[in-house]
Amino acid sequence: MAHYNPKETEPRWRAAWDAGDIFRAVIDPTKPKYYMLEMFPYPSGQLHVGHARNYAMGDVVARFKRARGFNVLHPMGWDAFGLPAENAASERGVSPADWTFDNITRMREALKNLGLSLDWSREFATCEPAYYGRQQAWFLKLLARGLVYRKEGLVNWDPVDMTVLANEQVIDGRGWRSDAPVERRKLNQWFLRITQYGDELLDGLKTLDRWPDKVRLMQENWIGKSRGLRMTFPFTPGDADGVTVYTTRPDTLFGASFIALSPEHPMAEKLAVDNLAAAAFVAECRKGGTSAADIESAEKRGFDTGLRVVHPFDPKRELPIWIANFVLMDYGTGAIFGCPAHDQRDLDFARKYDLPVTAVVLPPAEDPAVFHVKQTAYVGTGKIFNSAFLDGLDIEAAKADAIARIETMGLGQGATVFRLRDWGVSRQRGWGCPIPVIHCASCGVVPVPQADLPVRLPGDMDFSRPGNALLRHPTWRHVTCPSCGAPAERETDTLDTFVDSSWYFARFPNADAEAPIDREAADYWMPVDQYIGGIEHAVLHLLYARFVPRALADEGMLNAREPFAGLFTQGMVTHETYRRQNGEWLEPGQVLVTQEGGERRARFADTGEPVVIGEPVKMSKSKKNVVAPEDIADAYGVDAARLFVLSDSPPERDVQWTNAGVEGAWRLINRVWAEFDALGGDQSAQDGGDPAAALVLRRTTHRAIRAVTDAIEGFRFNSAVARLYEFVAALRACTASADTAQARVEALSALARLIAPFAPHLAEACWEKLGETGLIALADWPRYDPVLADDEEKTLPVQINGKRRGEVRAPAGATNEAVEKIVRENPDILQKLEGLTVRKIIVVPDRIVNLVAN
């Protein structure tokens, strides 16, 4: 028997797929369409098995749907702009373009070697003028409609890389690349008016029933729609001036003990002009990040301005005005009233500065005479107390009453606000999509004419120093004004790379179109039926990618306002880490791991010195715990790597890479191959009866088809592989004979097609062994006979008076009388019925049993 040889088999079948161009998608109205898309990768140059797991999941679905008769679009591209390329250019003395396209070449080859059923004819990189020029075109359309604007705004500024950072690029208050403390600065920035779509983005989440609940909740919280009160605390009774705040808790107004201003509040900035201490505090606050998470986790600090306002419900009470580092300028009004008893941030601040803490919400069953808040704010339900005319009301009623009273007094009104802020898209980087506007001293901001698009990046930017290479380019920015012909300058900021990924999925339906989006092709293929990517993109990328299609749809460029019908967030592939005594990280291939008694030990292969084994963490280049797919393919073949990453745990959970795991997948591949390699002659000529042995095998086959089909449909890839293991074991246990010959051929034909989405190269070789013509990649999915696939026994839940109390096993198709007898004789059910008299038994055949008893 020939040993399965992946080094020969796998390249052969990849060449056959390429020769036939079988994965190229074309519009075919006669078939149901299926658009399968994984989040496109950044071309870092190295593919590891974490990538392989993500793309293997998508490939399973794409191959499965194609076999089920769908017209499948499964494209690939590259999210290619960004700071890593600039850093590489600086460190290596190469251009970002050369570095990027060299990496793309390597990663494309690695992806092809994974046997992915991708339509490479649609490939593009976001750093290509053909792509970013179309992006500039729709950007100008949104500019003309007022969805793009420029204003001074707060940003995260990295003083080393000399660029704006997105919130997620600020780690513990430091730049993700430079590790420098991030500062808050005010810069003129370009913004996209995402807030205009806040309600629609929120309402749209309700329609996304094939998205994970946790992702929808994360987006809902990020959008953060809240109903509250916008009101002014006057400086003195009757004074028109004061501090305007927004609050979602007007019911707690009687618990107010201070007013807090954002360091960027106009009043704080005005005070800082003449007050050196205030100026120093504001400057210190600007050294932190701008994100809500950064501000939330920072130590609560403040500066007492010495100013006071009057409580609206009690003119005798005055509240001090503080500047506080935990108040966001871009939420509400940039000022809050602090109610320490019922907000943890306010409480931490009050305890630090010895401010009053007055509880005004009484928890259920608490005594109002003794209840008070210590170190934990009370944020639960209850009745209002210590609040004059609001006493005794529940929270919602007190909110309504307080809002009505403030409106009557002329001090404010009820209002709805969003936590969501407009999207700042300016980045001070050379390797990005140029913002297509020109600044003219006479005409102001002038859009680049459509005929002059794309605004191309110069090929000779200098990245030897930090900062914006476009800004210091000697000639690129100097142009004439398209409007008046006077000397002018291009915008030197480039677009946030999240813009590049906010519409790429709409370009794939026709990546060669003259327009940014081919409306006919997009109307056929969109929305994406299944999108796969990491949970780390749950908010920003997915929110922006939901916003831009809406904006483009309102321009008539697109029909699908919601781009992703289904979303799956996969777990990571982890690997333990290895570190030398001097702290140097080592790659897995540099380490020898042995088992000594009950303890695993590791040594550096080159020197024999002991190595510290660390906990399994996400594969990363920085910790060198990366396993490259080609290393696995060299030893076991690509299919073994695919099988392992899909089989070891549910796809939404992390999977730890182990050599033992991939070896197990390799054994399965060889067991499958052994069954096919043992075949000989014309399989269709085999004949035999259909005695009991053949019937058992046929039942096994049809149950396997049903189980694997259901598991793939439900994204339970590990369960599908487990059923394949069982199916192969059953085949091996079934003795070949004339009586089972036809049943065995049927089983092997089904097995080859069932394993094809997971191990496509192996499946092609098995299909050939069966004597089938054509490629299995184009073969139909096997169908199961419901009668043969049906279990011989059924598990029936048993309910007593509507509540589940147990279960029984009964033969499939058993009569109602037979099921009743089984239930009445079951000791567990009898125990649950003690003291009760059964009045009625309702049997739903093969489904459930209901007992009515009293």
Side-chain angles (χ1 to χ4, degrees):
M1 186 178 297
H3 188 68
Y4 182 69
N5 188 342
K7 289 184 179 180
E8 292 180 1
T9 302
E10 292 179 348
R12 176 191 169 201
W13 293 111
R14 287 196 293 271
W17 300 331
D18 288 345
D21 199 16
I22 64 172
F23 303 129
R24 182 186 292 267
V26 295
I27 292 176
D28 184 353
T30 67
K31 289 184 176 182
K33 69 91 182 178
Y34 196 88
Y35 187 174
M36 174 66 236
L37 186 65
E38 303 91 349
M39 293 180 185
F40 64 168
Y42 182 79
S44 62
Q46 185 174 13
L47 199 71
H48 58 67
V49 293
H51 296 108
R53 189 188 195 207
N54 183 41
Y55 298 118
M57 287 180 186
D59 198 49
V60 167
V61 176
R63 288 178 177 274
F64 172 72
K65 290 295 184 179
R66 194 177 287 111
R68 299 271 280 181
F70 286 82
N71 187 24
V72 175
L73 172 59
H74 188 204
M76 177 56 64
W78 309 95
D79 191 11
F81 273 136
L83 202 54
E86 290 195 13
N87 290 340
S90 175
E91 294 164 4
R92 296 169 175 82
V94 299
S95 75
D98 289 345
W99 182 82
T100 298
F101 285 108
D102 284 349
N103 287 346
I104 286 174
T105 298
R106 288 196 297 274
M107 291 184 70
R108 182 194 300 117
E109 189 63 24
L111 286 174
K112 285 187 173 182
N113 287 341
L114 286 176
L116 305 175
S117 58
L118 293 166
D119 181 355
W120 286 102
S121 71
R122 299 167 189 265
E123 178 191 12
F124 58 77
T126 58
C127 64
E128 295 169 340
Y131 182 82
Y132 70 72
R134 269 77 180 191
Q135 184 165 290
Q136 292 167 344
W138 66 249
F139 182 90
L140 290 178
K141 286 180 178 290
L142 301 192
L143 176 64
R145 192 150 60 91
L147 283 178
V148 176
Y149 66 95
R150 191 169 184 253
K151 72 166 186 176
E152 190 176 60
L154 277 171
V155 296
N156 300 311
W157 179 258
D158 188 314
V160 172
D161 281 332
M162 297 176 63
T163 185
V164 170
L165 300 179
N167 285 337
E168 75 280 0
Q169 294 170 326
V170 180
I171 311 299
D172 296 329
R174 293 178 175 270
W176 68 320
R177 293 283 176 182
S178 69
D179 200 39
V182 170
E183 302 171 359
R184 279 191 278 178
R185 283 192 181 183
K186 280 191 172 180
L187 293 177
N188 275 317
Q189 298 281 288
W190 288 95
F191 291 85
L192 289 176
R193 211 179 294 274
I194 189 174
T195 53
Q196 186 168 314
Y197 289 82
D199 275 320
E200 186 182 343
L201 289 168
L202 195 60
D203 292 342
L205 293 172
K206 301 171 186 174
T207 69
L208 300 177
D209 55 359
R210 291 202 297 116
W211 279 43
D213 289 341
K214 61 182 177 182
V215 175
R216 291 193 292 177
L217 180 61
M218 289 166 74
Q219 289 217 0
E220 182 180 336
N221 291 339
W222 188 268
I223 296 169
K225 183 177 181 179
S226 61
R227 177 69 179 169
L229 171 67
R230 189 185 301 268
M231 62 167 291
T232 299
F233 285 81
F235 287 123
T236 60
D239 193 335
D241 293 327
V243 179
T244 300
V245 306
Y246 173 78
T247 178
T248 60
R249 293 297 304 270
D251 55 303
T252 65
L253 270 166
F254 281 97
S257 68
F258 63 91
I259 300 293
L261 309 176
S262 165
E264 286 76 34
H265 192 281
M267 186 180 295
E269 294 186 332
K270 185 176 180 180
L271 286 166
V273 172
D274 300 318
N275 187 319
L276 292 179
F281 179 76
V282 169
E284 186 66 25
C285 289
R286 286 180 176 169
K287 292 181 179 178
T290 65
S291 73
D294 290 333
I295 292 172
E296 185 75 30
S297 60
E299 179 189 2
K300 307 303 179 284
R301 298 174 59 244
F303 175 82
D304 188 351
T305 67
L307 300 175
R308 302 291 184 266
V309 293
V310 177
H311 195 288
F313 295 150
D314 185 357
K316 297 178 182 178
R317 284 180 60 191
E318 290 188 342
L319 305 179
I321 300 176
W322 289 70
I323 304 171
N325 69 338
F326 63 91
V327 181
L328 289 166
M329 184 61 220
D330 58 359
Y331 179 75
T333 67
I336 65 164
F337 78 81
C339 178
H342 305 294
D343 184 284
Q344 192 61 45
R345 296 177 310 168
D346 296 349
L347 181 60
D348 294 342
F349 188 80
R351 295 302 187 203
K352 183 178 181 70
Y353 294 106
D354 198 25
L355 298 171
V357 178
T358 302
V360 292
V361 179
L362 183 68
E366 288 284 353
D367 183 351
V370 298
F371 175 72
H372 63 280
V373 169
K374 296 179 181 178
Q375 298 303 318
T376 303
Y378 178 69
V379 294
T381 60
K383 296 292 185 181
I384 305 300
F385 75 126
N386 291 334
S387 299
F389 61 88
L390 297 178
D391 282 355
L393 298 177
D394 62 32
I395 290 173
E396 292 305 315
K399 286 181 182 179
D401 205 340
I403 291 172
R405 186 70 63 102
I406 291 294
E407 289 178 337
T408 299
M409 296 169 68
L411 293 176
Q413 59 184 18
T416 298
V417 301
F418 289 85
R419 179 179 179 269
L420 179 67
R421 303 273 66 82
D422 279 343
W423 176 13
V425 295
S426 293
R427 296 294 180 266
Q428 290 69 43
R429 299 173 187 157
W431 188 239
C433 173
I435 296 175
V437 300
I438 293 169
H439 299 278
C440 174
S442 300
C443 305
V445 174
V446 180
V448 172
Q450 290 282 337
D452 294 341
L453 298 180
V455 177
R456 293 174 178 264
L457 292 170
D460 57 347
M461 287 183 283
D462 175 16
F463 291 95
S464 63
R465 291 175 289 149
N468 188 350
L470 277 180
L471 180 62
R472 61 173 176 262
H473 191 278
T475 60
W476 182 83
R477 71 181 187 275
H478 300 296
V479 293
T480 57
C481 174
S483 181
C484 70
E489 290 193 359
R490 294 189 188 280
E491 172 64 69
T492 57
D493 283 357
T494 56
L495 289 173
D496 179 9
T497 55
F498 277 121
V499 178
D500 308 335
S501 59
S502 70
W503 71 289
Y504 77 104
F505 41 84
R507 182 71 180 166
F508 275 135
N510 183 352
D512 299 318
E514 282 300 315
I517 298 171
D518 180 334
R519 178 64 188 268
E520 180 183 359
D523 283 353
Y524 174 80
W525 289 111
M526 292 286 289
V528 174
D529 294 280
Q530 187 63 61
Y531 198 35
I532 299 179
I535 189 69
E536 66 271 19
H537 299 297
V539 174
L540 294 183
H541 161 58
L542 287 171
L543 188 64
Y544 298 150
R546 295 180 60 229
F547 155 62
V548 168
R550 286 170 161 82
L552 299 184
D554 289 340
E555 289 291 334
M557 300 171 67
L558 189 64
N559 185 48
R561 301 180 75 85
E562 200 66 72
F564 310 121
L567 171 70
F568 188 83
T569 54
Q570 90 286 358
M572 301 178 296
V573 178
T574 65
H575 196 293
E576 60 190 11
T577 58
Y578 308 108
R579 207 166 193 174
R580 298 178 68 179
Q581 303 302 317
N582 63 6
E584 177 189 352
W585 298 103
L586 294 175
E587 298 175 1
Q590 297 175 286
V591 179
L592 299 175
V593 180
T594 58
Q595 189 81 28
E596 299 180 16
E599 187 176 357
R600 295 174 71 247
R601 297 183 183 275
R603 294 188 176 276
F604 186 17
D606 288 353
T607 65
E609 68 181 271
V611 170
V612 177
I613 301 177
E615 290 296 316
V617 295
K618 177 183 177 181
M619 289 187 180
S620 70
K621 291 171 67 176
S622 63
K623 292 185 173 63
K624 295 189 176 181
N625 64 331
V626 171
V627 176
E630 51 266 32
D631 294 339
I632 306 305
D634 189 57
Y636 303 105
V638 166
D639 283 346
R642 288 175 56 127
L643 268 173
F644 170 65
V645 295
L646 293 168
S647 67
D648 199 58
S649 68
E652 67 275 12
R653 298 181 190 169
D654 293 350
V655 57
Q656 182 182 349
W657 181 267
T658 64
N659 287 337
V662 73
E663 287 167 2
W666 171 239
R667 285 193 294 272
L668 174 64
I669 285 172
N670 280 283
R671 288 169 184 168
V672 170
W673 178 243
E675 294 301 311
F676 287 87
D677 197 44
L679 292 172
D682 181 4
Q683 303 304 316
S684 61
Q686 300 276 0
D687 196 14
D690 196 18
L695 181 60
V696 168
L697 182 54
R698 295 198 70 215
R699 284 190 179 278
T700 299
T701 299
H702 287 259
R703 287 171 187 163
I705 296 171
R706 182 180 65 181
V708 173
T709 302
D710 291 348
I712 296 177
E713 290 279 18
F715 263 72
R716 301 186 306 276
F717 304 130
N718 60 314
S719 297
V721 175
R723 290 309 302 263
L724 289 172
Y725 270 93
E726 294 173 5
F727 188 22
V728 173
L731 268 170
R732 297 181 73 197
C734 177
T735 303
S737 68
D739 286 339
T740 61
Q742 280 191 341
R744 177 173 286 275
V745 170
E746 180 188 29
L748 292 173
S749 175
L751 175 60
R753 287 176 285 168
L754 291 178
I755 206 167
F758 303 91
H761 310 87
L762 170 68
E764 293 287 6
C766 293
W767 196 241
E768 184 181 53
K769 275 286 186 181
L770 279 172
E772 298 286 358
T773 58
L775 295 166
I776 199 170
L778 299 176
D780 291 339
W781 191 251
R783 298 178 180 273
Y784 64 85
D785 183 331
V787 174
L788 291 173
D790 206 11
D791 291 334
E792 295 176 350
E793 277 196 335
K794 295 286 186 180
T795 299
L796 309 180
V798 178
Q799 292 185 343
I800 299 175
N801 295 330
K803 293 184 179 181
R804 180 167 176 154
R805 295 300 188 185
E807 59 186 34
V808 296
R809 298 280 295 174
T815 64
N816 289 4
E817 293 75 12
V819 173
E820 286 186 25
K821 184 174 186 295
I822 291 170
V823 169
R824 290 184 180 276
E825 293 176 354
N826 185 280
D828 291 337
I829 302 301
L830 290 174
Q831 184 178 359
K832 301 290 193 313
L833 287 169
E834 284 185 5
L836 298 175
T837 301
V838 176
R839 301 299 182 186
K840 190 175 185 181
I841 298 180
I842 304 167
V843 178
V844 180
D846 291 340
R847 298 287 299 279
I848 195 170
V849 181
N850 286 291
L851 306 181
V852 180
N854 55 25

